[in-house]
Amino acid sequence: MSTERSPQTMKPSTAAQKLGIYLPAAPEEFQNNDISRTELNELLANPPQWIVDLRLNGPHPRPIVAGKLGVSNAGLARGGVDEALTTAQIQELLAAPPRWLVTERRTQADVREENARLKQRDKERIEWAAKQERIAEREASDAANRAARAEREGR
């Protein structure tokens, strides 16, 4: 017997996050109904005009605002940005950045530099460990070869 499975659905907030849109700015129909995986895939593949407009003009959700400003979500909070911003508002902030934005962008750049440094350090450690392993394997092989030669020569 085969049982029909119900389609996988998600809350509107999850779908909005996956679509990169601010949920309160979406149409009521979208906000009040669960979205199936098939519907989400269709919205991603062929977004209706309202999604195109929201992505283009906003208001944008916090992660999108943070990305466009080059800061973290925490940096937005420290800067007092609690609401969604439109593209025009983001452009205004970038055109005349307030002190908090300059500070947060510098902090974000420092974090990126530190992450790159740590990634490089970890890569070098892995390479060093692999080299040490190859040396140990070579030394073990050489020792085995010496022992075999000594045995053949009757020592």
Side-chain angles (χ1 to χ4, degrees):
M1 287 176 57
S2 65
T3 58
E4 287 189 34
R5 298 190 319 181
S6 61
Q8 180 183 11
T9 61
M10 62 191 80
K11 294 179 182 177
S13 59
T14 303
Q17 184 178 11
K18 291 180 182 290
L19 290 166
I21 61 170
Y22 184 57
L23 181 60
E28 288 290 322
E29 180 181 321
F30 182 86
Q31 292 182 40
N32 297 326
N33 295 310
D34 286 349
I35 311 297
S36 72
R37 174 68 59 186
T38 305
E39 291 170 327
L40 176 68
N41 289 338
E42 179 61 28
L43 290 172
L44 287 167
N46 301 308
Q49 190 59 44
W50 64 268
I51 291 179
V52 173
D53 291 342
L54 282 176
R55 287 178 175 167
L56 186 61
N57 302 317
H60 302 287
R62 291 180 62 79
I64 302 295
V65 172
K68 287 178 180 277
L69 291 175
V71 299
S72 66
N73 281 338
L76 283 178
R78 286 189 294 268
V81 178
D82 297 327
E83 70 283 345
L85 299 179
T86 64
T87 300
Q89 290 170 313
I90 292 169
Q91 289 171 344
E92 287 175 18
L93 284 172
L94 290 173
R99 173 172 273 139
W100 70 265
L101 182 56
V102 173
T103 302
E104 291 301 332
R105 290 182 76 156
R106 180 71 244 157
T107 299
Q108 189 71 3
D110 291 345
V111 167
R112 285 189 191 113
E113 287 175 16
E114 179 65 5
N115 287 341
R117 184 190 71 77
L118 292 175
K119 186 175 181 178
Q120 180 63 30
R121 181 202 65 188
D122 292 346
K123 178 183 173 190
E124 290 169 359
R125 286 180 177 177
I126 289 169
E127 290 171 353
W128 183 84
K131 182 179 179 182
Q132 295 303 311
E133 187 175 321
R134 286 191 306 272
I135 290 170
E137 289 171 356
R138 192 176 321 125
E139 289 174 352
S141 174
D142 290 348
N145 289 339
R146 281 192 301 274
R149 186 179 320 124
E151 188 177 310
R152 280 191 314 266
E153 294 173 357
R155 294 186 207 166

